[in-house]
Every structure is written in structure tokens, then in C-alpha cells.
Amino acid sequence: MSTHRVLTGFLLALGFVLVLVHSVWARRIVILYAAASPIVKALGVPEDEVVGVTRTDQVFPRATKVGSHLRPNLELIRALSPDLVIVGSKKAFPDSAAERLKAAIFRYDPRTLKEILEAIEALGRVLGREEAARNLVVELKAELAALKPLPRRPNVIYEVSSLPLKVAGRRSIVNDIIRVAGGRNLVTAEKKHVLLSPEAVLALNPDFYLYQVGPMNRNPVSPKKRPYFKGLESRVIRVDEHEFARPGLNAFSAAVKLNRIFFETLNQRP
Amino acid sequence: MKWIELQNFEVRLASFDLKVPELALCPGNLVAILGPNGSGKSTFLSALAGLRPYKGRYLFLGKDFEAYSESERYRFLSYLPQAGRVGLPFEVFYVVLTGRYPLVGGNRYSEKDHLETEKILRVMDLWDLRHRTFNELSGGERQRVLLARALNRQAQILFLDEPFNGVDLRHQHAILKFLREYVRGDQALALVVLHDLSLAARYFDYFLLFKEGLLLHQAKRSQLDPALLSEVLEVRVDFFRKGDEILVSTGV
Amino acid sequence: MRRETLIVGTLVVVFFLSLVLAIRYGAVAIDFAHLDKIEKNILFQVRIPRVALAALVGAALSLSGLLFQYVMQNPLADAFTTGAAASSALGAVAALVLGAEALVLPSGLCGAMVGLFTVFRVASFRGRLLPVTMLLAGIVVSTFASAAISLLKFLHEDSVASIVFWLMGGFQNASYGRVGLLVLVIGGTLIFLWKRRLALDLAAFDDATAVSSGLSIDRLRRELLFLGALLTSVSVAFSGIIGFVGLIVPHILRLCGFYRAEHLIALSLLFGSTFMLLADLAARSILPGGEELPVGVLTSSLGGLFFLYLLIHRKRQLYEMD
């Protein structure tokens, strides 16, 4: 009886080690969170090693599409017998689902630019590409050197979707992009997306009202043309959702771009 | 003058055809329509009330029935269907009041409409129920309310399809007495489907006997023959005449 | 009669009170004594149109519920139980997904008409409507429409949030244009109904009684069905599916002793708008920090409880209606 148990424990431990070793030399990768794909590519992973991606992913066109990031097809994923699966937040891909995959799981869910850099380094370790990861981090940090100091800290509200009116809260990557760009997100709720009354937007009276256009906000009416925003005095800026609301490499250039907009606008006005 | 005249009157139905070769009815009469179930009595009444298409000649108050517009004809006739139903809750008073709808020109029931409704409620012994909702009444009470509603139109011609369903005997007699008064002096004509032969023999003036969709016989009260009734109704019918009164015994 | 007068008086007072409350309170506190520019903007461009839209949608839904009750000849009919709301939403969502936003309203109207007609045909039996069959048919139509909406949502996963929120119901996208259109639709319906207010009550009787009262019942039903569908689909297009208002409002009025169409029409407008004003006020002030609850969630949960109460305490009425 006890030998049996010991044997089982040994086998389990062996399996664990094997999985670990295997994941270091990952050859078959499935990416269920599209924002991670550009990073994987930038780390120099060859295209044929990425075997599965979500249906919106354009970075690895030859990989099999395994559904959407909220509803991936576990059967398809298992059929690809991946060594490593890169997933998003626990909300998008719960642990219970991860356990069933029998592959190493890498959770990619950064909320700030700093966490993105950390995630890149961690991913570099898992993929055995520490060198490339370090270079990428340096490169991204260098990109931020273009940030210019602003005369004052502008107040910002970022619209995620217009129907319903949802804005970026503190846990959104956008929050940190705004902070790094030198602004202040007026919405302080501890959430990714916050359902906000237009009244509150008017009352908060931000200097900049950013609204994203993309899958979350497909064809928004320009804010100033909406009946409830007729009295909005903020400067309204349209941004691309893919560029701003994805926690990936794009976040750094987005911060720089936003900083430039702030800089030019604030220096124009007395 | 004839108020209802039929010639080769036919109503086509899925299961059978209703045929009335000839019929002429004068005002001042209470007319009983008798016959077994499925013999076409209800079909006959509803066709006369304009609810079914028919073939043949149908003179209504001396004029072709089709010549009346819909709103016009229901000022002269009042029809009580067999399974009357009210889907939403209404007060008894209001249910009876709506019987006067065809008489209302504008969009408001007049003072007179209200007074007449009060009158008929008292006659039908419904006065105490007038503020109750129709749907909380018992079956017999509902039937009396619907009958009161039909009578409230004060139409010249009444078509009543089994008006005594579930109504207790005391009220049946009271209502029939009222109907006798109603038609007296050639003021009105009432056609009533019923099954109770003793009531029919006691209060009615004229009898239409239906069998298998055909108007088989018509007779005045004095000419009513128990043998004929036995044949049509498929039960044994015996009459005991006591002066002007007819006592009826039935059995199988 | 004095009791009725008292109830009407109370309703009028409560209506104006909730109007004042709805304008007074909101996500942002406004100092009414000294309005600054931002507060003026908030008041006139956000809050007042929203309050007006809420009141009008409440009135429209109550009125449509009342009309459906006359068509279906039972007090359990409303935009929700007849499946009109769901089928109208299906039409609207289909238009949205195809990118034809201008067609949201007509497409919703078509959806509602098709759904209603189906339920009506299924539930009518020998010249009358069977209430239980109507409820079942309504469930079938609602379920089918919801499934079709789910399919559309699935095929367009990214814009799901918009569709979901819109379906849950809310008055966020209020504008004076929408308010104006609703006023027109409700006003037109009222003019039509006011001329037929006596006939309306007769529509609740069996067909033979209605027809032999000189009513062209089929035509009246078609007209009522169209108007009910129109009111429903305008409400759905502007504020999503807001359930059970059309059921609760006339029912409570009947419990208070109002039975005639002329009373129910007027009081449904008043009570329906009051109800919705308060529901929306709650929806936008329960959560702190300017966050909002979808108002449909509130009314549907209230309505669900109310329906449960009906099933438990008024069984007799429910089953004796047929």
C-alpha cells in the first residue's frame, strides 16, 4: 500500500519536472490573449512554434484559430497538444480550465507599463529567450525617453464604449498609459471598466475626453454630437482601441503619442 | 306585420347544413326553440343575429337583413350567446350598462342609459351585486348579469341562447314573467333556446322544433302535440291540461 | 366615488413629487439656487431629457400593456408576457448587427408585429383567447427571440456589451428628439383610443357578444395590436427591454377599483410614468460614484416578484379567467 503511494508520488514528481523542463524548451505554443502575440514575436519565437491563436489574432496568421479569447475551444487546443498556453486574466480563462489543459500555463495580465516589462522578462524565461527579453525591455524603456514634461497635469476621461457609456477605471491599462503620458485619470473606481452617468462626466469636466474606436466601441457617435454631451467643454480626441486598450507593446507608443497630444494642446492654450 | 320572415334559409356548417324552408314570426310572441343537442338551434340563432353567413331570404322587420348596416341592426336586435365570457374584470353595473352600447351615439353613456341600467338590475334581482366584479360571481349570477345586459338594450327582437344556464328556479320564473311583459302588446319578439319543456309549455306562445339541422315543426301553444315532441326530443312526453295550463311529464 | 377621487388625487401628487425628485437627484448633486454653466448643462442636456424619456417610456409601456390586455382578453398580457418586447428586440438587434441603425425602429416594429400575431393566432380558440395558452405562446416567442438574439450576439462577440446593456434597458441615451417622437406616438395613440374608449371595454367580451354589440372586433383588434406593437417597439428602441411595467400598472389600478378603459387609459399614463420615474431614479442613485444600474433589471425583478404574488394569491382569478 505504502509503496504504491510512494511510487505514485514519484511518478507525479517526475511528471512535474518533465513538464517544467519541457516548458523551458517550448516548441508548441498556444496564445489565447492576442496582446501577448506581438511580444512573443518580438522575442524571436519562430512562426511555426506558435500553433494556436484566437480568431482575432493577426500576428501569427498560419496558426490554427482556436475560438475567441473569452470562449476558446478546449478540444481544439488539446488537439494541438501544446507545451505552453499563454492566457489572459482569471476572468477570461479560469484556473479550472487551465488545469484541464495539461500544459504549462503562462498568465499574461499586466495592468501597468511596469507590469508589462515584468511580464516580458518572465515570458523570456519561460521561452528560454532571456536575452531577447532584456533587449526588448531596454528598447521599450528607451521609447519612453521621448516623453516630454508637461506644464501641468491634465485631467482625462477615457471612453471604452458609448452604449452603455463605460469609461476606463483604475485597473485598466489605459489608466497607466494616461499616468505615464503625464495625465490623470479622473475615474478612480477600482475596476477595469466603469459604467458612468454622462452627468458625472460633465461634472468631472476633464481637460481631455478620449474615446476609443474599435471592437468595444464599434461606431460611436462623436461625443460632441451626442445629445447628452452638447455641453461638454473638454477637448475630444479619438483614439484606436487596438493601440490604447491592449496591454502590449503598443502601450508604450500609445503613452508617447498621448503625451505629445497633451504637450501640444497644453502649450497652445494660455 | 311579420318581424322575421325566412324562406329557404340555409346555413352551411362543417358537420351539417341547417335548413329552415319557411318561417314567419309576429311581434308579441315568446318563441321557444326546442330540439336535442346538435340539432342546430344555436346555429340558427347566431345566423339570425348576423354572426354567420347564410343563404336564402331573411326579412328583418320587413326589410332584407343585409340592408341594415352593422351598427344599425344591433339597435333592433339583442343576442345572448350561449357561452358568454368577460375576459377582464368589470363591475356588474358596467357589464350591464355596456348592453346599451349600440344605442350610444357619442362616447359617453347618457343619464338615461344609467337609469335604465338601474331599472333592469332591480328587475333581475342584481341590485345588491352591482358593485361586485363580474368574475367573482357564481355561474348562475353571471348568467343573469349577461341576460340583464342583453335585455338592457331594450331591443325589439331578442335572441336568447339558453339564458337559464345555472339560474335557479325562482329567478327563471321571475325572468320569464318579465319576458312575457316585455313582448306584450306587440312591442317585441323573443326567440329563446331552452330545454325545460314545462317552462316552455307554461310561458311560451310559439314553438320551433329542430332535429338534425332541420326545422321539423312549428306550432302554437294550443296546437302543441306531446307525440310530436316525443318524436323530436326522443323522450316520452305527456301533457296534463288543466284549463289553460299545460303540465308536462317527461321520461324515458 | 370618494375613494376613487382620493386615489386619483394621491396619484397626481405622487407623480409631481417623483418628477421633482427625479430632477432634483442624480449622479451629480446640483445646487439649484446658483446654477453654474456645468450644472446648467447637466440639468438641461442630460437630466431633464432623461427624466422625460423615463416618464414617457413608462407611460408607453403601461399603455401598450393595457392594449394587449384588451386584445388578448386577459389581464396577464403585456409587452413582456406576449413576447412583443423580445421579438421587437430581435428585430432591432438584427438591424443593429447589420449596421443599419436607421432601421432599428421599423425593424423592431416588424419583429413585434410578427411575434404578437403568432401569439394571438395560437391562443385564439373558437372566438376567444385562452389566457394560459397565450402565456405559453408568449414564452415560446420570447424564448425563440432570445435564442435568436443570443445567436446574433455570439456571431458578433465584440459588440456584445452594447447589445446586452441596451437589452437590459436604460434611459442613458435620452434626447429631446426621442422625447418628441414618443410624445407624438403616445399622443396619436391617445387620440385614437379616446374615440373608442367605450368600444375598448367591449373587446374584452367573447367575440359573439362583441360583434352583436355592433363592434367590428377584428378590425379593432388589428388596430390595437398595431398600436401596442408601435408603443412597445419605440420603447424598446429607445430604452431596451423593460419588463412587466405594462402588467403591474394596470393590475394595481384594477385592484384599486378602476375597471373602465377611459379610467384605465388616463391613470395608466399617470401611474406608469410615476413608476418609471422612481425606478430610474433608484437605478441611477443606488450605486455610489455616478455608476448606474440598468433600470430593466430593477423593474424585471420587481415584476417577477409581483408575478409570483399573482400566481400564489390570485390563482383563482388566473384560472377562472378562461
Side-chain angles (χ1 to χ4, degrees):
Chain A
M1 197 63 191
S2 72
T3 45
H4 203 102
R5 208 174 273 172
V6 169
L7 194 67
T8 317
F10 175 73
L11 280 176
L12 270 178
L14 188 71
F16 188 65
V17 170
L18 275 177
V19 165
L20 270 182
V21 169
H22 216 89
S23 64
V24 169
W25 304 107
R27 282 287 174 268
R28 299 181 67 78
I29 305 168
V30 169
I31 304 174
L32 294 183
Y33 194 57
S37 288
I39 296 175
V40 173
K41 190 169 183 144
L43 291 179
V45 174
E47 234 177 271
D48 56 343
E49 288 188 14
V50 177
V51 290
V53 293
T54 56
R55 66 178 183 205
T56 51
D57 203 318
Q58 309 291 326
V59 181
F60 296 103
R62 277 189 293 164
T64 309
K65 301 274 189 273
V66 293
S68 68
H69 83 284
L70 285 175
R71 223 176 280 136
N73 187 324
L74 291 184
E75 216 169 286
L76 273 178
I77 296 171
R78 284 185 79 159
L80 292 170
S81 55
D83 312 302
L84 176 68
V85 182
I86 301 175
V87 300
S89 67
K90 289 196 175 167
K91 217 163 137 192
F93 198 80
D95 284 332
S96 58
E99 275 164 26
R100 289 168 55 199
L101 276 182
K102 292 185 183 146
I105 298 292
F106 184 89
R107 233 176 236 300
Y108 181 81
D109 187 23
R111 298 240 167 81
T112 60
L113 299 198
K114 197 167 151 247
E115 282 178 20
I116 294 177
L117 296 178
E118 287 164 7
I120 290 172
E121 285 181 333
L123 204 52
R125 280 194 295 278
V126 172
L127 296 169
R129 296 177 184 274
E130 288 93 339
E131 178 74 32
R134 259 194 305 279
N135 291 340
L136 183 57
V137 167
V138 170
E139 205 178 296
L140 288 171
K141 277 183 178 163
E143 207 175 318
L144 290 184
L147 290 171
K148 293 176 192 160
L150 302 176
R152 65 183 176 87
R153 233 173 141 68
N155 292 328
V156 183
I157 287 181
Y158 183 94
E159 173 182 303
V160 175
S161 76
S162 64
L163 185 84
L165 186 61
K166 272 192 192 161
V167 298
R170 205 178 251 174
R171 305 182 90 165
S172 164
I173 187 69
V174 172
N175 190 65
D176 202 50
I177 293 178
I178 293 171
R179 187 189 64 79
V180 170
R184 181 194 299 126
N185 185 5
L186 287 175
V187 182
T188 53
E190 279 296 334
K191 280 183 173 179
K192 244 182 186 162
H193 301 154
V194 184
L195 214 51
L196 197 67
S197 160
E199 287 187 11
V201 173
L202 289 176
L204 289 169
N205 194 23
D207 299 308
F208 291 92
Y209 186 85
L210 309 183
Y211 73 109
Q212 68 175 20
V213 177
M216 293 273 293
N217 209 16
R218 211 165 267 286
N219 293 309
V221 178
S222 159
K224 295 255 175 175
K225 284 187 186 149
R226 298 179 205 163
Y228 52 82
F229 276 161
K230 279 214 182 85
L232 189 69
E233 290 180 330
S234 321
R235 203 185 140 103
V236 174
I237 291 160
R238 173 190 165 113
V239 298
D240 182 6
E241 178 181 337
H242 292 283
E243 211 177 320
F244 273 72
R246 300 279 185 274
L249 300 177
N250 53 288
F252 293 83
S253 51
V256 172
K257 189 171 175 183
L258 192 57
N259 172 263
R260 189 167 345 110
I261 293 171
F262 288 162
F263 182 82
E264 282 166 8
T265 314
L266 292 177
N267 284 331
Q268 260 171 31
R269 283 205 277 201
Chain B
M1 185 193 168
K2 313 273 187 264
W3 277 12
I4 288 186
E5 269 186 275
L6 303 179
Q7 251 170 4
N8 299 324
F9 186 80
E10 273 182 45
V11 182
R12 197 163 284 272
L13 279 171
S15 45
F16 64 90
D17 286 354
L18 175 84
K19 285 195 183 106
V20 178
E22 188 139 31
L23 179 68
L25 297 170
C26 301
N29 281 312
L30 266 185
V31 181
I33 301 177
L34 302 172
N37 294 142
S39 57
K41 308 182 297 290
S42 294
T43 309
F44 180 55
L45 267 200
S46 61
L48 287 187
L51 298 172
R52 285 176 194 279
Y54 61 84
K55 281 192 300 190
R57 203 164 120 96
Y58 175 15
L59 295 186
F60 181 85
L61 294 172
K63 227 167 83 178
D64 186 26
F65 188 71
E66 303 284 339
Y68 294 88
S69 75
E70 288 208 359
S71 57
E72 207 179 358
R73 58 170 83 139
Y74 295 111
R75 279 204 289 273
F76 299 120
L77 81 85
S78 189
Y79 169 61
L80 175 73
Q82 203 181 100
R85 174 181 174 274
V86 186
L88 296 173
F90 291 110
E91 280 176 332
V92 165
F93 183 92
Y94 188 64
V95 171
V96 176
L97 182 65
T98 60
R100 296 183 70 83
Y101 176 77
L103 309 176
V104 176
N107 261 312
R108 184 159 285 280
Y109 292 105
S110 67
E111 192 69 20
K112 181 168 184 268
D113 294 323
H114 283 85
L115 286 175
E116 293 296 336
T117 304
E118 286 175 17
K119 231 192 263 174
I120 194 77
L121 280 170
R122 286 185 204 277
V123 166
M124 301 294 283
D125 196 20
L126 292 167
W127 183 249
D128 294 336
L129 302 179
R130 68 190 185 282
H131 293 311
R132 301 266 297 277
T133 55
F134 178 80
N135 291 294
E136 56 180 323
L137 301 182
S138 73
E141 287 168 336
R142 289 188 198 189
Q143 186 65 17
R144 268 155 58 210
V145 172
L146 291 178
L147 182 56
R149 180 186 181 279
L151 296 176
N152 198 19
R153 192 169 303 168
Q154 297 175 326
Q156 285 165 280
I157 299 185
L158 299 180
F159 297 123
L160 309 177
D161 197 347
E162 302 201 20
F164 303 121
N165 261 341
V167 176
D168 60 38
L169 272 177
R170 179 169 74 90
H171 286 112
Q172 291 193 13
H173 282 284
I175 291 164
L176 280 165
K177 275 196 181 128
F178 173 77
L179 283 177
R180 283 242 53 94
E181 275 305 300
Y182 192 91
V183 299
R184 198 158 76 177
D186 296 353
Q187 298 175 66
L189 168 68
L191 279 71
V192 183
V193 172
L194 77 171
H195 288 291
D196 188 328
L197 266 188
S198 49
L199 273 185
R202 180 165 180 159
Y203 290 101
F204 285 73
D205 308 297
Y206 202 76
F207 298 84
L208 306 180
L209 304 186
F210 277 85
K211 189 162 192 183
E212 286 160 8
L214 188 68
L215 174 58
L216 210 58
H217 286 287
Q218 36 186 313
K220 284 187 195 151
R221 202 161 86 107
S222 52
Q223 303 161 340
L224 205 55
D225 175 14
L228 198 64
L229 280 173
S230 303
E231 184 204 319
V232 172
L233 301 177
E234 295 163 25
V235 287
R236 202 190 67 239
V237 179
D238 296 311
F239 280 6
F240 304 95
R241 292 182 194 264
K242 205 174 130 192
D244 193 30
E245 240 180 285
I246 301 175
L247 298 177
V248 185
S249 154
T250 56
V252 277
Chain C
M1 200 56 220
R2 271 177 68 200
R3 199 177 80 103
E4 274 87 359
T5 322
L6 195 72
I7 292 173
V8 173
T10 316
L11 261 179
V12 172
V13 171
V14 173
F15 171 74
F16 283 106
L17 208 68
S18 21
L19 199 61
V20 170
L21 281 179
I23 292 176
R24 170 74 184 76
Y25 294 101
V28 175
I30 292 179
D31 178 8
F32 281 86
H34 323 275
L35 286 175
D36 64 19
K37 200 166 169 227
I38 289 178
E39 288 176 328
K40 261 188 201 155
N41 275 335
I42 291 177
L43 190 62
F44 292 108
Q45 266 136 36
V46 185
R47 202 171 288 174
I48 289 179
R50 176 174 181 149
V51 166
L53 187 69
L56 288 167
V57 166
L61 286 176
S62 310
L63 196 56
S64 76
L66 196 61
L67 297 189
F68 292 143
Q69 288 162 20
Y70 279 111
V71 177
M72 304 291 179
Q73 300 161 41
N74 75 72
L76 297 173
D78 93 326
F80 213 61
T81 55
T82 54
S87 43
S88 166
L90 173 59
V93 169
L96 268 188
V97 162
L98 293 175
E101 287 193 28
L103 291 182
V104 164
L105 201 55
S107 167
L109 182 60
C110 287
M113 294 290 293
V114 170
L116 275 170
F117 189 70
T118 311
V119 171
F120 181 81
R121 283 305 293 269
V122 170
S124 53
F125 173 77
R126 291 194 183 164
R128 63 198 191 82
L129 265 282
L130 306 176
V132 175
T133 317
M134 181 215 79
L135 283 179
L136 290 177
I139 290 170
V140 171
V141 167
S142 283
T143 312
F144 177 80
S146 308
I149 291 173
S150 296
L151 178 69
L152 290 177
K153 283 199 297 204
F154 177 79
L155 296 176
H156 297 255
E157 195 166 352
D158 291 323
S159 39
V160 162
S162 303
I163 297 178
V164 168
F165 179 80
W166 172 67
L167 287 180
M168 280 192 292
F171 303 109
Q172 214 179 48
N173 270 11
S175 70
Y176 287 112
R178 292 179 164 196
V179 167
L181 185 59
L182 252 179
V183 166
L184 279 182
V185 171
I186 294 179
T189 310
L190 278 184
I191 291 172
F192 177 89
L193 290 181
W194 206 243
K195 284 188 192 155
R196 291 164 180 77
R197 58 191 193 273
L198 297 188
L200 215 52
D201 284 331
L202 284 168
F205 286 70
D206 58 287
D207 283 10
T209 304
V211 172
S212 66
S213 297
L215 208 65
S216 1
I217 184 71
D218 289 331
R219 199 175 123 199
L220 182 65
R221 276 206 193 110
R222 275 199 300 274
E223 291 163 343
L224 295 181
L225 220 53
F226 173 77
L227 287 174
L230 183 65
L231 288 167
T232 305
S233 39
V234 175
S235 306
V236 166
F238 289 175
S239 53
I241 295 182
I242 298 176
F244 288 123
V245 182
L247 178 80
I248 299 177
V249 167
H251 206 100
I252 291 182
L253 289 173
R254 289 199 177 101
L255 286 181
C256 292
F258 298 98
Y259 304 109
R260 305 183 187 190
E262 50 185 335
H263 300 151
L264 285 174
I265 291 170
L267 293 177
S268 287
L269 293 179
L270 197 62
F271 187 28
S273 47
T274 309
F275 180 86
M276 199 58 89
L277 280 176
L278 293 177
D280 183 48
L281 181 62
R284 62 200 158 94
S285 45
I286 279 182
L287 297 182
E291 281 193 71
E292 291 188 6
L293 217 62
V295 70
V297 172
L298 260 181
T299 63
S300 288
S301 38
L302 260 180
L305 288 177
F306 187 75
F307 210 78
L308 196 64
Y309 155 79
L310 285 186
L311 287 175
I312 294 171
H313 287 285
R314 301 180 74 81
K315 262 185 210 150
R316 203 179 133 251
Q317 192 191 28
L318 185 62
Y319 293 115
E320 287 199 354
M321 280 298 174
D322 62 4

